[in-house]
Amino acid sequence: MARSMASAARAKQSDQRELNGRKGEKRLEGYDRAELHDLVHQMILGRRFEEKAAEAYALGKIGGFCHLYIGQEAVTVGSFAALRPDDYVITAYREHVQALVKGITPRAVMAELYGKADGCSGGKSGSMHLYSAEHDFLGGWGIVGGQIPMATGVGFAIRYRDEDRVCLCFMGEAAVNQGAFHESLNMAALWKLPVIFIVENNRFGMGTAWERASSLYDIAQKAHAYDMPSAVADGMDVFDMRDRVKEAVDRARAGEGPTLIEARCYRFMGHSMSDPVHGVYRTKEEVEEHKVKDPIRAFIDRLKDADMLTDDELKAIDERVRAEVDDAAEFAESSPEPPPEALYEHVYSEINSHGRLFADRLDRLPEGASPPASMTAGGDDDGGEGS
Amino acid sequence: MARSMASAARAKQSDQRELNGRKGEKRLEGYDRAELHDLVHQMILGRRFEEKAAEAYALGKIGGFCHLYIGQEAVTVGSFAALRPDDYVITAYREHVQALVKGITPRAVMAELYGKADGCSGGKSGSMHLYSAEHDFLGGWGIVGGQIPMATGVGFAIRYRDEDRVCLCFMGEAAVNQGAFHESLNMAALWKLPVIFIVENNRFGMGTAWERASSLYDIAQKAHAYDMPSAVADGMDVFDMRDRVKEAVDRARAGEGPTLIEARCYRFMGHSMSDPVHGVYRTKEEVEEHKVKDPIRAFIDRLKDADMLTDDELKAIDERVRAEVDDAAEFAESSPEPPPEALYEHVYSEINSHGRLFADRLDRLPEGASPPASMTAGGDDDGGEGS
Amino acid sequence: MATITYREALNQALAEEMERDPDVFLMGEEVALYNGAYKVSKGLFDRFGERRVVDTPITELGFTGLGVGAAMVGLRPVIEFMTFNFSMLALDQVFNSAAKLHYMTAGQFHCPIVFRGPTGAALQLSAQHSQAMESTYAHYPGLKVCTPATPADAKGLLKASIRDDDPVVFMEGELLYNVKGEVPEDDDFVIPLGLAEVKRAGDDVSIITHGKMVHVALQAAAALEKDDVSAEVLDLRSIRPLDVDAILATVKKTNRAVYLEEGWPFVGIGAQVIDTIQQEAFDHLDAPLARVTQADVPMPYAKNLEKLAKPSAERVVAACKRVLL
Amino acid sequence: MATITYREALNQALAEEMERDPDVFLMGEEVALYNGAYKVSKGLFDRFGERRVVDTPITELGFTGLGVGAAMVGLRPVIEFMTFNFSMLALDQVFNSAAKLHYMTAGQFHCPIVFRGPTGAALQLSAQHSQAMESTYAHYPGLKVCTPATPADAKGLLKASIRDDDPVVFMEGELLYNVKGEVPEDDDFVIPLGLAEVKRAGDDVSIITHGKMVHVALQAAAALEKDDVSAEVLDLRSIRPLDVDAILATVKKTNRAVYLEEGWPFVGIGAQVIDTIQQEAFDHLDAPLARVTQADVPMPYAKNLEKLAKPSAERVVAACKRVLL
Ligand SMILES: Cc1ncc(C[n+]2csc(CCOP(=O)(O)OP(=O)(O)O)c2C)c(N)n1
Ligand SMILES: Cc1ncc(C[n+]2csc(CCOP(=O)(O)OP(=O)(O)O)c2C)c(N)n1
Ligand SMILES: [Mg+2]
Ligand SMILES: [Mg+2]
């Protein structure tokens, strides 16, 4: 335990050292009022949407695991401000806000959380697995680190097609220790793929503080092992995130390859709905200390100070958000359950005309429903003799 | 291809830069004549043993994969000179010489290559999988990178028991890209485990030059990602290897944790017996250039220059080695095949007295042989009705 | 006898075996400070300290291999997978190192290690978090596979597994942790691997199963009783070793059987058991052997679809009636 | 028709499909500069360049996931495992990403990827390098599994697999690469997945098998002929989809069957096929269905032990005689 304390102290120092230099920069330059308000809207939408989701979870309307992003909104809102709409995003399971900011409607996201047919994954996948082909939002993955090799593949495809798109790959800091991280960053750097790896260092992987899981505190430094550029960004600051990501995106579009960005942030809520906010692995005081630096409040204050946002404007945005979120919840509530046929749909996209793809009895299909062709090919399935 | 050439040039430069500084040191100090002759013996034994194995392979006496170590002997002989007999060694499949220098007899190693009952793995495993519990030689593993987590576990066990032993873990440079490397080095550094990771950078993983597989040439630098000490050693030089490993071993014994050592060397032969020495991925000239620096010749010359070895002494060593190697081959030749019962032996060490551990018919057992208890428990096995 | 939960039973087994043998240690994600993601290791960190209860980084391949290395030189690691879904990252170390180590070294080294954690689906955890992996593991010789359904079995079998000199894949269930049952308080209460147990006796049809599904089978048997069908429920308890004697005995008694399992059908455990039965009790069969499994699809999230996908008592009842036709 | 090797047939299939569809690329260890560890990709690097024939670092998990990501956004990767043994490191990406991607995204994304390479034992490669993994893969819904035995099947099925919009696990055999046979020269010679083929017709007993073992089955059938036993050899060719029609047809013809496979017995492919037969053709069976498999042990190195461990024509003959008793 003595060791953990020491490294926590080291960690803090390093946090400060890395980030101080940039506070004086004039970050608001080049944004117009509408753009800034758009960012405010994204931040507040993210927050309120999740507050609503938490309520719905408590009421049993949402099941399974549900991981809230509250406190980390600036990482996404800032990063995405550096993207074009046709850029790809792939991420882990704490991704409601990323899905929303990439453009999936609150309705489609909420319906997915409710497990309904109108969800952005057809109700088949829930909170951890949001997707939208239309928005180049590639999900939404639950195996820690699993999305990192896939992101590398997306980067490979971009280069293969000689496009100037990029792929943003988000991960929690705990994913950095996975072998998948190491293998992927090496290939991305070796082949100069247009992938930006953004590590959201919210200090904990479930109940494990980063310094108890990694022998090196500075994640950005891990990029040296791959001869890859890296940066530390203030994940509580929209502008810092946007600037660091923009530099990386520019490099990637110019064919100069990937970047590793460590976004220092903090998770305000428990790991998932069943994990208390504080107690075992962090104190109430620690959480409160970070909540004072709430990224939404900080962002709003900054805009107000710069006369880019009035109270009335803020109120209007907030009201709009509340309406959107209520609408999303109502929509999700009234959206139908996926039909029983959906059970066997999309397991395969090509239903081969020969042989059986499914080894079960298929008696789960409702009467009258038409099964995928492969189910009936190759003998009947009532357990009697074959055709 | 242009890129590969450029990085090869970079590689060479860096080779030189790193290693030049140490040439002047007085490496022979502290060794007595007998010790040095012992090292000469180990070097020559390794070489001649493998030459004999290559002959036997050509005659079909050895089967499967067989990876020769010729050219890399100094890495092992130097490293092991820094060890105590009770230290552990774990390695990959190019390990004949490591098995010999750790103390397994040439007879037992050769018999294993021949697949005979007196082999150090009972003939069950062959060239890639040599083991000796008596010598704390933990093998002999065929999945690239697979031994690295295991080495970390050996280090964990040493620390768990509060011993002052160390574990040497060898790997080829290509294993460095595996996720297992990353995961293991992090844990070893985090918990300060007494493991020395020695990367034998022989420039190729099969036909792939290191610079075509890694975005960073300097392997030692990868240690920075784990806040771990590292060193580059001249893998063609027994003394340099010994010194670098000794520093690491001392740190490990003192509880200061692991070290990563990059041993720069060169593979004189093809990857395995079926791979030509040169042609596709390297030129004849390149191989010849390295052969000039043969580590055995260099070592002998050095001792002679320092008047620590005479021609007669060398001749005596060589004759002894030839006799040992011939004896090993004869022994292997006349050692019996493993008995058919061995097929089902050692799959499990505890044969539970209930139920069946084996799902096959067990009709491979010779008549009269007694099967492990588990085979007969739980019904007969002749395909008729059960008991 | 005390009535405790499955979770507590596992906890007792761990504590007792750690007390008994200083070489036993527990390692995995969140097992120490957090007391386990599912609280199976509650109190062990406080009791045994950080040397013997070790939180790992999220590196399944790495810490699995670490366990195998430690076992190779004589420790007795218990490696917790937070769930077996994540063990997919570690299969190389289980199949290529743990399962083969004793054989490849011709018996010079042993691999006394337990891999444990929940397998199969809980509630609405979706495709990546709802996989039953018994079949994946049981295929590989060198491994033993154990699937306790009750608190007593959990305790007795975990103790046996920790004392076993071979790698044991010990599969629990998230939905089992709160199940209560009577458990002997004896410190040496050990249930040997390879002994199936008749969890309910019956005459007309055998429901053979393992793990969590034992409870579903018992529900089905209760339902069948109302229709005057007497079903026997045989719980395999361990899949390797497989208690073929017990399987044949129940089949010879009822002449009709259904294999129920949580996992997918294709090369599921049921396929193997049915093959064994038809090979060794062919003439005792009055009807084809039936199977009830998960739908042959990745597990969906939506409540209605998940329910449809999982095996259920109703499906077991229907299958029993089919084989009784 | 030209007579070519299995290796050449695969090479042609790759070349033709790469020519036909610019989104197809080949990636793996040593596939480019070295022309493939087993020379399957010979000449492709020269012909298609480093953009489409890509040597990877030794990072199976990484490049498998890379392939899945590339497939998700529309490319059609062919990922070579130098041998399937090494794919154990990559199973997470195959099972948790590739197999589930289409389902989890409710059909928004496809995963048109082929994982190919040799499976099973060659000669004296020892335990870690001699594993047949059909059963491990076939268990997971979302995957298709294909096991060609002849040059023509290799070519026709590889082309079908590359054109398939789903992940296909395409299992070759080191000992098959030099097998020769006639192959149609048509660029559009495609064999659909899911069609088994009777490789030899017979009346008395069916030997059902797949992959490399087809040749062993044919040897056994030839030997049985001398004893006046007429054996039919059915080659499944693909395991998912499974040609149940063809399986039932041969069993109904001969009423006796043996399943032969290279892999281990416990939950092997044979267990699944036998389960299917007993469920759907119960009344057509005159004897228990038999199986011939690898010995249920890690593959030993010693020549004599390896020979003993592998399935052989003699063992198949003996099994056929047993079911004919
Ligand atoms: C391979 C794997 N191991 C374990 C888990 C269980 N798990 C889910 S989230 C999590 C912590 C991840 O922490 P981090 O990457 O920092 O992301 P955060 O939750 O902080 O956003 C763990 C251990 C998992 N999903 N996948
Ligand atoms: C996981 C895995 N992938 C691929 C292989 C096939 N293979 C065997 S050796 C080798 C090259 C390894 O090179 P390196 O690590 O540099 O060791 P060297 O052979 O040079 O000693 C490869 C690709 C393997 N054995 N294991
Ligand atoms: Mg985190
Ligand atoms: Mg090498």
Side-chain angles (χ1 to χ4, degrees):
Chain A
M1 286 293 91
R3 201 182 53 190
S4 323
M5 294 304 175
S7 34
R10 238 196 303 134
K12 227 168 197 169
Q13 255 183 16
S14 134
D15 272 353
Q16 234 90 59
R17 193 182 57 242
E18 299 271 0
L19 301 175
N20 273 349
R22 298 198 290 260
K23 289 292 171 202
E25 295 174 32
K26 294 181 190 154
R27 294 304 174 89
L28 277 71
E29 267 175 24
Y31 289 95
D32 69 25
R33 208 169 175 94
E35 275 168 357
L36 290 170
H37 291 189
D38 213 32
L39 299 179
V40 174
H41 176 257
Q42 290 174 3
M43 299 281 278
I44 300 182
L45 176 62
R47 180 70 58 92
R48 296 263 181 269
F49 181 94
E50 290 209 317
E51 288 166 355
K52 184 62 108 187
E55 277 172 38
Y57 194 91
L59 294 171
K61 292 179 188 297
I62 297 175
F65 291 140
C66 183
H67 308 84
L68 301 183
Y69 198 61
I70 292 180
Q72 301 178 221
E73 293 91 344
V75 177
T76 286
V77 172
S79 305
F80 286 42
L83 295 186
R84 287 194 327 227
D86 67 341
D87 288 327
Y88 293 104
V89 169
I90 189 166
T91 182
Y93 47 82
R94 195 182 294 287
E95 92 287 30
H96 306 151
V97 177
Q98 287 159 353
L100 293 170
V101 178
K102 194 73 173 73
I104 313 183
T105 64
R107 285 183 163 198
V109 176
M110 194 65 89
E112 188 57 37
L113 270 53
Y114 278 57
K116 297 300 188 67
D118 297 305
C120 60
S121 312
K124 272 182 153 156
S125 297
S127 161
M128 300 190 286
H129 309 297
L130 307 170
Y131 304 94
S132 171
E134 183 192 340
H135 299 93
D136 294 311
F137 190 74
L138 308 178
W141 295 95
I143 303 299
V144 168
Q147 76 278 22
I148 315 177
M150 294 173 73
T152 309
V154 175
F156 182 88
I158 293 171
R159 210 203 45 170
Y160 189 91
R161 292 176 164 148
D162 221 352
E163 297 172 336
D164 69 345
R165 300 157 87 176
V166 306
C167 178
L168 241 58
C169 174
F170 289 89
M171 69 196 82
E173 86 292 340
V176 167
N177 293 325
Q178 284 284 31
F181 172 89
H182 177 68
E183 300 187 6
S184 300
L185 267 72
N186 179 47
M187 286 189 290
L190 182 63
W191 297 327
K192 297 213 175 299
L193 305 179
V195 185
I196 293 107
F197 300 98
I198 303 184
V199 178
E200 304 201 50
N201 184 357
N202 64 6
R203 302 272 296 107
F204 299 95
M206 289 194 71
T208 303
W210 173 240
E211 59 275 14
R212 293 181 60 236
S214 172
S215 57
L216 174 76
Y217 191 84
D218 288 301
I219 293 170
Q221 190 177 319
K222 300 230 175 210
H224 300 341
Y226 316 101
D227 209 0
M228 185 190 291
S230 67
V232 182
D234 183 349
M236 309 299 268
D237 179 349
V238 175
F239 295 113
D240 199 47
M241 278 309 307
R242 191 257 177 205
D243 292 352
R244 296 288 83 75
V245 174
K246 186 72 171 59
E247 289 161 7
V249 166
D250 289 346
R251 263 199 302 274
R253 286 207 214 286
E256 290 165 33
T259 301
L260 175 66
I261 296 176
E262 177 185 358
R264 300 234 166 129
C265 52
Y266 198 81
R267 159 159 68 68
F268 288 4
M269 310 298 287
H271 167 72
S272 67
M273 300 306 293
S274 62
D275 177 44
V277 174
H278 50 76
V280 185
Y281 56 87
R282 59 184 187 180
T283 61
K284 188 163 186 222
E285 291 67 44
E286 178 180 322
V287 177
E288 292 305 326
E289 205 180 288
H290 281 91
K291 277 188 160 177
V292 171
K293 299 179 246 162
D294 186 311
I296 301 190
R297 189 154 352 120
F299 186 54
I300 289 172
D301 287 350
R302 191 108 156 246
L303 298 199
K304 283 189 181 168
D305 283 353
D307 287 330
M308 294 298 267
L309 181 72
T310 66
D311 280 337
D312 283 351
E313 285 167 334
L314 178 60
K315 207 174 150 220
I317 292 172
D318 198 42
E319 274 164 14
R320 190 178 133 213
V321 164
R322 281 179 199 276
E324 286 174 300
V325 167
D326 287 344
D327 170 71
E330 277 158 37
F331 176 83
E333 186 74 43
S334 62
S335 171
E337 286 182 333
E341 302 88 274
L343 185 65
Y344 289 99
E345 231 175 287
H346 304 310
V347 180
Y348 296 98
S349 37
E350 278 192 15
I351 295 300
N352 302 68
S353 44
H354 304 281
R356 277 191 216 163
L357 280 169
F358 298 90
D360 62 346
R361 311 182 59 84
L362 303 164
D363 48 2
R364 279 136 168 132
L365 282 174
E367 280 181 50
S370 63
S374 71
M375 295 188 188
T376 48
D380 71 9
D381 46 66
D382 63 5
E385 292 174 20
S387 57
Chain B
M1 287 293 90
R3 200 180 58 191
S4 321
M5 294 304 176
S7 35
R10 239 196 303 135
K12 225 165 198 173
Q13 253 182 15
S14 135
D15 271 356
Q16 232 90 60
R17 193 180 58 239
E18 300 271 0
L19 301 175
N20 274 347
R22 298 200 290 261
K23 290 291 171 201
E25 294 174 31
K26 295 183 190 154
R27 296 301 176 90
L28 277 72
E29 267 175 25
Y31 289 95
D32 69 24
R33 206 168 176 95
E35 275 166 357
L36 290 170
H37 290 191
D38 214 30
L39 299 179
V40 173
H41 175 257
Q42 290 174 3
M43 298 281 278
I44 300 181
L45 176 62
R47 180 71 57 92
R48 296 262 182 271
F49 181 94
E50 290 209 317
E51 288 166 353
K52 183 61 109 188
E55 276 172 38
Y57 194 91
L59 295 171
K61 292 179 187 299
I62 298 174
F65 291 140
C66 183
H67 307 83
L68 301 184
Y69 197 62
I70 292 179
Q72 300 177 220
E73 294 90 346
V75 178
T76 286
V77 172
S79 305
F80 286 42
L83 295 186
R84 286 194 329 227
D86 67 341
D87 288 326
Y88 293 105
V89 170
I90 188 166
T91 182
Y93 46 82
R94 195 181 295 287
E95 91 290 29
H96 306 152
V97 177
Q98 287 159 352
L100 292 170
V101 178
K102 195 72 174 77
I104 311 183
T105 64
R107 285 182 164 199
V109 176
M110 193 65 90
E112 188 56 38
L113 271 53
Y114 279 55
K116 297 299 188 69
D118 297 305
C120 60
S121 311
K124 272 181 155 157
S125 296
S127 160
M128 300 190 285
H129 309 296
L130 307 170
Y131 304 93
S132 170
E134 183 192 340
H135 299 92
D136 294 311
F137 189 75
L138 308 178
W141 296 95
I143 303 298
V144 168
Q147 76 279 22
I148 315 176
M150 294 174 73
T152 310
V154 175
F156 182 90
I158 294 171
R159 210 203 45 170
Y160 189 92
R161 292 178 164 147
D162 222 351
E163 298 172 336
D164 69 345
R165 301 157 88 176
V166 305
C167 178
L168 241 57
C169 174
F170 288 89
M171 70 196 83
E173 86 292 341
V176 166
N177 293 325
Q178 285 282 32
F181 172 89
H182 177 69
E183 300 187 5
S184 301
L185 267 72
N186 179 48
M187 286 189 291
L190 181 63
W191 298 327
K192 298 213 175 298
L193 305 180
V195 185
I196 294 106
F197 300 98
I198 302 184
V199 178
E200 304 202 48
N201 183 357
N202 64 6
R203 302 272 298 105
F204 299 94
M206 291 192 69
T208 304
W210 173 239
E211 59 274 15
R212 293 181 61 234
S214 171
S215 57
L216 174 77
Y217 191 86
D218 286 303
I219 293 171
Q221 188 176 321
K222 301 231 175 210
H224 300 341
Y226 316 101
D227 210 0
M228 185 190 290
S230 67
V232 182
D234 183 349
M236 308 299 268
D237 179 350
V238 175
F239 296 113
D240 199 47
M241 278 310 306
R242 191 257 177 207
D243 291 353
R244 296 289 82 75
V245 174
K246 186 71 170 60
E247 288 161 7
V249 166
D250 289 347
R251 264 199 303 274
R253 286 206 214 285
E256 291 166 34
T259 302
L260 175 66
I261 295 176
E262 177 185 356
R264 299 234 166 128
C265 53
Y266 197 81
R267 159 161 67 68
F268 289 4
M269 310 299 286
H271 167 72
S272 67
M273 300 306 292
S274 61
D275 177 44
V277 173
H278 51 76
V280 187
Y281 57 86
R282 57 184 188 181
T283 61
K284 186 164 188 217
E285 290 68 43
E286 179 180 322
V287 178
E288 291 306 326
E289 205 181 288
H290 281 90
K291 278 189 159 178
V292 170
K293 299 178 248 166
D294 186 311
I296 301 188
R297 190 156 350 124
F299 186 56
I300 289 173
D301 288 349
R302 190 109 156 243
L303 298 199
K304 283 190 181 168
D305 283 353
D307 288 329
M308 295 299 267
L309 182 72
T310 66
D311 281 336
D312 283 350
E313 283 168 335
L314 178 60
K315 202 170 154 224
I317 293 172
D318 198 43
E319 273 164 14
R320 191 178 132 213
V321 164
R322 283 178 198 277
E324 285 174 299
V325 168
D326 288 343
D327 169 72
E330 276 159 38
F331 176 83
E333 186 74 43
S334 62
S335 170
E337 286 183 334
E341 303 87 275
L343 185 64
Y344 290 98
E345 231 175 287
H346 304 310
V347 180
Y348 296 98
S349 38
E350 278 192 15
I351 296 298
N352 302 68
S353 44
H354 305 281
R356 277 192 216 163
L357 279 169
F358 298 90
D360 61 348
R361 312 182 59 85
L362 302 163
D363 47 3
R364 279 137 168 131
L365 282 173
E367 280 182 52
S370 62
S374 70
M375 296 187 189
T376 48
D380 72 9
D381 47 66
D382 62 6
E385 293 175 20
S387 57
Chain C
M1 291 275 190
T3 299
I4 59 172
T5 62
Y6 188 100
R7 173 186 288 109
E8 287 160 345
L10 294 170
N11 185 276
Q12 285 182 7
L14 287 167
E16 288 171 16
E17 294 306 304
M18 289 180 73
E19 203 63 73
R20 181 176 170 271
D21 184 346
D23 285 338
V24 176
F25 70 96
L26 175 66
M27 171 173 269
E29 293 159 13
E30 308 293 342
V31 296
L33 198 62
Y34 201 71
N35 281 307
Y38 300 104
K39 307 298 169 204
V40 169
S41 54
K42 194 167 176 188
L44 298 182
F45 179 61
D46 280 349
R47 180 158 164 198
F48 295 102
E50 63 179 357
R51 176 169 158 273
R52 298 185 65 195
V53 184
V54 186
D55 278 333
T56 63
I58 307 179
T59 52
E60 281 80 4
L61 180 68
F63 67 73
T64 299
L66 186 156
V68 177
M72 191 175 187
V73 296
L75 296 188
R76 303 184 82 85
V78 178
I79 300 293
E80 175 173 313
F81 292 122
M82 192 178 284
T83 80
F84 266 99
N85 299 287
F86 313 140
S87 77
M88 287 187 186
L89 285 161
L91 288 174
D92 171 65
Q93 285 292 340
V94 180
F95 295 160
N96 274 323
S97 303
K100 299 180 173 51
L101 187 156
H102 187 58
Y103 196 75
M104 290 174 67
T105 66
Q108 292 180 78
F109 294 91
H110 298 261
C111 191
I113 191 168
V114 175
F115 303 107
R116 50 157 291 275
T119 188
L123 291 172
Q124 286 194 272
L125 299 187
S126 200
Q128 295 188 315
H129 284 76
S130 309
Q131 301 173 82
M133 290 188 65
E134 295 90 303
S135 169
T136 298
Y137 282 103
H139 184 54
Y140 287 81
L143 301 177
K144 296 175 181 175
V145 178
C146 205
T147 56
T150 65
D153 291 347
K155 181 165 179 186
L157 288 167
L158 183 52
K159 286 168 70 84
S161 299
I162 293 173
R163 295 182 192 187
D164 202 292
D165 275 339
D166 292 315
V168 180
V169 181
F170 189 91
M171 302 180 125
E172 308 160 6
E174 198 182 322
L175 298 179
L176 286 172
Y177 289 135
N178 288 328
V179 167
K180 284 192 177 166
E182 295 212 322
V183 178
E185 276 162 294
D186 173 10
D187 259 24
D188 268 315
F189 167 63
V190 170
I191 301 176
L193 270 60
L195 271 185
E197 188 177 65
V198 174
K199 286 284 198 284
R200 176 186 173 124
D203 299 307
D204 301 331
V205 60
S206 304
I207 307 172
I208 313 176
T209 186
H210 68 269
K212 201 185 298 172
M213 288 301 112
V214 167
H215 303 279
V216 175
L218 290 170
Q219 282 166 34
L224 284 163
E225 192 173 33
K226 294 190 190 125
D227 294 338
D228 277 334
V229 174
S230 161
E232 177 147 305
V233 174
L234 181 70
D235 173 6
L236 295 183
R237 299 206 291 193
S238 73
I239 289 175
R240 262 207 202 220
L242 183 70
D243 190 347
V244 178
D245 275 348
I247 293 170
L248 297 178
T250 188
V251 170
K252 288 179 187 177
K253 183 176 172 193
T254 65
N255 308 112
R256 294 164 197 273
V258 171
Y259 199 93
L260 163 64
E261 68 191 298
E262 198 185 354
W264 290 299
F266 204 102
V267 296
I269 303 301
Q272 179 64 25
V273 170
I274 285 176
D275 173 40
T276 307
I277 295 172
Q278 70 86 29
Q279 278 198 37
E280 307 196 18
F282 189 74
D283 294 333
H284 294 270
L285 293 177
D286 289 346
L289 299 154
R291 295 175 63 191
V292 177
T293 66
Q294 184 193 323
D296 202 6
V297 306
M299 185 64 82
Y301 165 73
K303 213 180 235 170
N304 65 322
L305 293 182
E306 187 188 45
K307 187 151 179 265
L308 204 56
K310 288 176 168 179
S312 65
E314 296 76 52
R315 311 189 74 76
V316 177
V317 167
C320 286
K321 292 195 173 161
R322 217 159 51 228
V323 302
L324 282 162
L325 273 190
Chain D
M1 291 276 191
T3 299
I4 58 174
T5 63
Y6 188 99
R7 173 187 288 110
E8 286 160 343
L10 293 170
N11 184 276
Q12 284 183 6
L14 287 167
E16 287 171 16
E17 294 307 303
M18 289 181 74
E19 202 64 71
R20 181 176 170 270
D21 183 346
D23 285 339
V24 176
F25 69 96
L26 176 65
M27 174 174 266
E29 292 158 13
E30 308 292 342
V31 297
L33 198 61
Y34 202 69
N35 283 308
Y38 299 104
K39 306 298 169 203
V40 170
S41 54
K42 193 166 177 190
L44 298 183
F45 178 61
D46 280 349
R47 180 157 164 198
F48 295 101
E50 64 181 356
R51 176 169 159 272
R52 299 184 66 194
V53 184
V54 186
D55 277 333
T56 62
I58 306 178
T59 53
E60 282 80 4
L61 180 68
F63 68 73
T64 299
L66 186 155
V68 177
M72 191 175 186
V73 295
L75 296 189
R76 304 184 83 84
V78 177
I79 300 292
E80 175 172 314
F81 291 122
M82 191 177 287
T83 79
F84 267 98
N85 299 286
F86 314 140
S87 77
M88 287 187 185
L89 285 161
L91 289 174
D92 170 65
Q93 285 292 340
V94 180
F95 295 160
N96 274 323
S97 303
K100 298 181 173 53
L101 187 157
H102 187 59
Y103 196 75
M104 290 174 68
T105 65
Q108 292 180 79
F109 294 93
H110 298 261
C111 191
I113 191 168
V114 175
F115 302 108
R116 49 158 291 275
T119 188
L123 291 173
Q124 286 195 273
L125 299 187
S126 201
Q128 295 189 314
H129 284 77
S130 310
Q131 302 173 81
M133 291 188 66
E134 294 91 300
S135 169
T136 298
Y137 282 102
H139 184 53
Y140 287 81
L143 300 178
K144 297 176 180 175
V145 178
C146 205
T147 55
T150 65
D153 290 347
K155 181 165 180 187
L157 288 167
L158 182 52
K159 287 168 71 84
S161 299
I162 293 173
R163 296 183 192 187
D164 202 291
D165 276 340
D166 292 316
V168 180
V169 180
F170 189 92
M171 302 180 122
E172 309 160 5
E174 198 181 321
L175 297 180
L176 286 172
Y177 289 135
N178 288 330
V179 167
K180 284 192 178 167
E182 296 212 324
V183 178
E185 275 162 291
D186 174 8
D187 258 23
D188 268 314
F189 167 63
V190 170
I191 301 175
L193 271 60
L195 271 184
E197 188 177 67
V198 174
K199 286 285 201 283
R200 176 186 172 122
D203 298 307
D204 300 331
V205 59
S206 304
I207 306 171
I208 313 177
T209 187
H210 67 269
K212 201 185 299 171
M213 287 301 112
V214 168
H215 303 279
V216 175
L218 290 170
Q219 281 167 33
L224 284 163
E225 192 172 32
K226 293 191 191 127
D227 293 339
D228 276 333
V229 175
S230 161
E232 177 147 306
V233 175
L234 181 69
D235 173 6
L236 294 183
R237 300 205 289 192
S238 73
I239 289 173
R240 262 208 202 218
L242 183 69
D243 190 347
V244 178
D245 276 349
I247 293 170
L248 298 179
T250 189
V251 170
K252 288 178 188 177
K253 182 177 174 193
T254 66
N255 308 113
R256 294 163 196 274
V258 171
Y259 198 93
L260 163 64
E261 68 192 299
E262 198 185 355
W264 289 300
F266 204 101
V267 297
I269 303 300
Q272 179 63 25
V273 169
I274 286 175
D275 172 40
T276 307
I277 295 172
Q278 70 84 31
Q279 277 197 38
E280 306 196 17
F282 189 74
D283 294 333
H284 293 269
L285 293 176
D286 290 346
L289 299 153
R291 295 176 63 192
V292 177
T293 68
Q294 184 193 322
D296 202 6
V297 306
M299 186 64 83
Y301 165 73
K303 213 180 236 170
N304 65 323
L305 294 182
E306 188 188 45
K307 185 150 180 267
L308 204 55
K310 288 178 168 178
S312 64
E314 297 74 53
R315 310 189 76 75
V316 177
V317 167
C320 287
K321 293 198 171 159
R322 215 158 53 228
V323 301
L324 281 163
L325 273 189

